Amino acid sequence: MEVLTLTTYADAPFMTQQQAALEERGVSFTTLSVAGEVAADTDRRPVDYVRTVPRVVREAATGYDLIHAHYGLTAPLALAGLRTPIVLSLWGSDVHGPVAPISKAAAPFCDAVVVMSERMREALGRECTVIPDGVDLERFRPEPRARAKERVGWDDEGQDVLFPYPPARGVKNHPRAERIVSVVDNLREEPVRLRTVHGVDHDAVADYMNAADALLLTSASEGSPNSVKEALACNLPVVATDVGDVRERLAGVDPAVVATTDEELVEGLLAVLERDERSNGRAAAREVSIDRTADRLLEVYERVAGTVTETEAERERRRVAADRLE
């Protein structure tokens, strides 16, 4: 199966991991990124999307089984692909934020729409398939904390709270994370530090997960935050706002806290740090392993394109092998 991927961010780790898993299942990808430059604190301009339309038309004309458009703003570009079937994946902010009207207007013209959580499906207001981004359980796995701390250069004194996002990303609410950790630090005898980690190689993120004492998510909105699933895979306790599918992902995980107010975030982080234990999150992470989510997305591809890439027997053998690895 040949797939043309349209994206605003060609290096998005969750997307490239998803593609790698699907390539193992017989899918080939050509990725076309929207024109222009993008950074943590800058967005592409409308003219960049307009400039990309001719490239999409030319590329789609060479013959693909389907176009997979990632993020709502790429959906109008995918529609320029004429008769090529379209799968639209929405990421969260394109359903809950200012881009939502474009996503909602384009979705009915796509052959399949994939969202990350039930909340996104409800916000979109139409039938779609819920598939959270998967986590690579081989890359993200529990490791001794002392070894991880040595790798990332953290000392053994005090406790470290991980915030794995650029401060410039407003939706992640870094000032709130600073405020929460400052209060908790004043309530604890030993130092509590907020470790804001971004711009590192994705392979290194697991080391930070294993070195930290807790993950703090203070986002105003999310789809299915990858950092939470990666933390679960490393048995790192999570304290998070009630956004996206966080409550569902943390169901049955201990220690873990889902909060709605600053006071609940403070109390939850304080309780987690006082326990000073790893969580049982890895068992929950298996439900959203990259292998399981890739299988589900492949089924969407095959339905939309009208082709079969793997037989059910091959898929079942892959599932059994993945379960043994987990």
Side-chain angles (χ1 to χ4, degrees):
M1 183 184 300
E2 300 285 338
V3 176
L4 174 61
T5 298
L6 303 183
T7 181
T8 57
Y9 183 31
D11 295 326
F14 67 86
M15 188 186 75
T16 56
Q17 288 176 16
Q18 182 184 85
Q19 288 180 331
L22 287 165
E23 285 172 343
E24 294 178 356
R25 290 154 173 78
V27 181
S28 298
F29 292 93
T30 297
T31 299
L32 196 158
S33 186
V34 176
E37 299 295 327
V38 66
D41 55 350
T42 60
D43 295 319
R44 286 189 173 88
R45 302 166 300 164
V47 69
D48 294 327
Y49 290 88
V50 174
R51 288 167 49 205
T52 307
V53 172
R55 295 169 57 206
V56 174
V57 173
R58 289 194 300 270
E59 187 63 39
T62 63
Y64 288 90
D65 293 291
L66 64 88
I67 296 173
H68 190 169
H70 286 266
Y71 195 68
L73 287 177
T74 67
L77 304 181
L79 295 173
L82 302 177
R83 295 182 178 85
T84 309
I86 298 169
V87 175
L88 171 62
S89 280
L90 299 173
W91 289 6
S93 60
D94 48 0
V95 172
H96 300 295
V99 177
I102 296 175
S103 302
K104 292 179 179 179
F109 298 98
C110 299
D111 297 274
V113 179
V114 178
V115 296
M116 299 181 185
S117 68
E118 285 295 331
R119 283 188 177 181
M120 287 180 64
R121 183 186 63 77
E122 293 168 2
L124 189 63
R126 61 171 289 105
E127 191 60 36
C128 51
T129 303
V130 178
I131 305 177
D133 288 327
V135 59
D136 185 342
L137 296 181
E138 284 299 296
R139 176 179 295 177
F140 290 89
R141 58 189 308 117
E143 297 285 351
R145 199 184 313 182
R147 183 190 307 166
K149 283 194 170 188
E150 183 178 351
R151 286 175 180 168
V152 302
W154 294 353
D155 59 43
D156 292 329
E157 295 183 4
Q159 293 178 296
D160 300 292
V161 179
L162 182 62
F163 184 89
Y165 305 105
R169 292 187 64 185
V171 71
K172 303 299 183 181
N173 207 338
H174 183 258
R176 189 182 195 186
E178 289 184 311
R179 187 167 65 249
I180 299 304
V181 172
S182 177
V183 173
V184 172
D185 180 44
N186 289 330
L187 295 173
R188 294 280 288 158
E189 291 185 4
E190 58 181 327
V192 177
R193 295 173 292 265
L194 180 66
R195 299 285 194 175
T196 302
V197 175
H198 63 96
V200 302
D201 188 272
H202 194 235
D203 287 338
V205 175
D207 287 331
Y208 289 95
M209 295 279 183
N210 283 302
D213 295 275
L215 175 82
L216 179 61
L217 181 82
T218 51
S219 298
S221 68
E222 290 280 356
S224 178
N226 292 309
S227 62
V228 169
K229 291 172 284 191
E230 291 165 354
L232 291 177
C234 295
N235 286 338
L236 174 65
V238 175
V239 178
T241 48
D242 190 7
V243 292
D245 65 348
V246 166
R247 189 173 291 278
E248 179 183 357
R249 298 277 74 84
L250 296 184
V253 177
D254 182 55
V257 175
V258 181
T260 57
T261 66
D262 280 13
E263 291 75 13
E264 290 175 352
L265 286 169
V266 167
E267 291 173 1
L269 183 57
L270 189 61
V272 164
L273 294 179
E274 286 176 345
R275 283 182 61 175
D276 192 25
E277 299 173 2
R278 304 312 273 182
S279 79
N280 61 342
R282 189 165 177 83
R286 294 192 179 104
E287 295 299 318
V288 286
S289 72
I290 189 67
D291 284 304
R292 295 189 183 187
T293 57
D295 281 342
R296 295 185 61 198
L297 185 57
L298 181 61
E299 291 171 359
V300 174
Y301 279 8
E302 291 172 344
R303 171 167 52 84
V304 168
T307 62
V308 176
T309 305
E310 277 191 334
T311 67
E312 185 56 39
E314 290 171 334
R315 197 166 296 165
E316 183 59 28
R317 283 197 295 271
R318 188 181 291 279
R319 288 193 187 107
V320 171
D323 287 343
R324 286 174 179 169
L325 286 174
E326 293 166 17

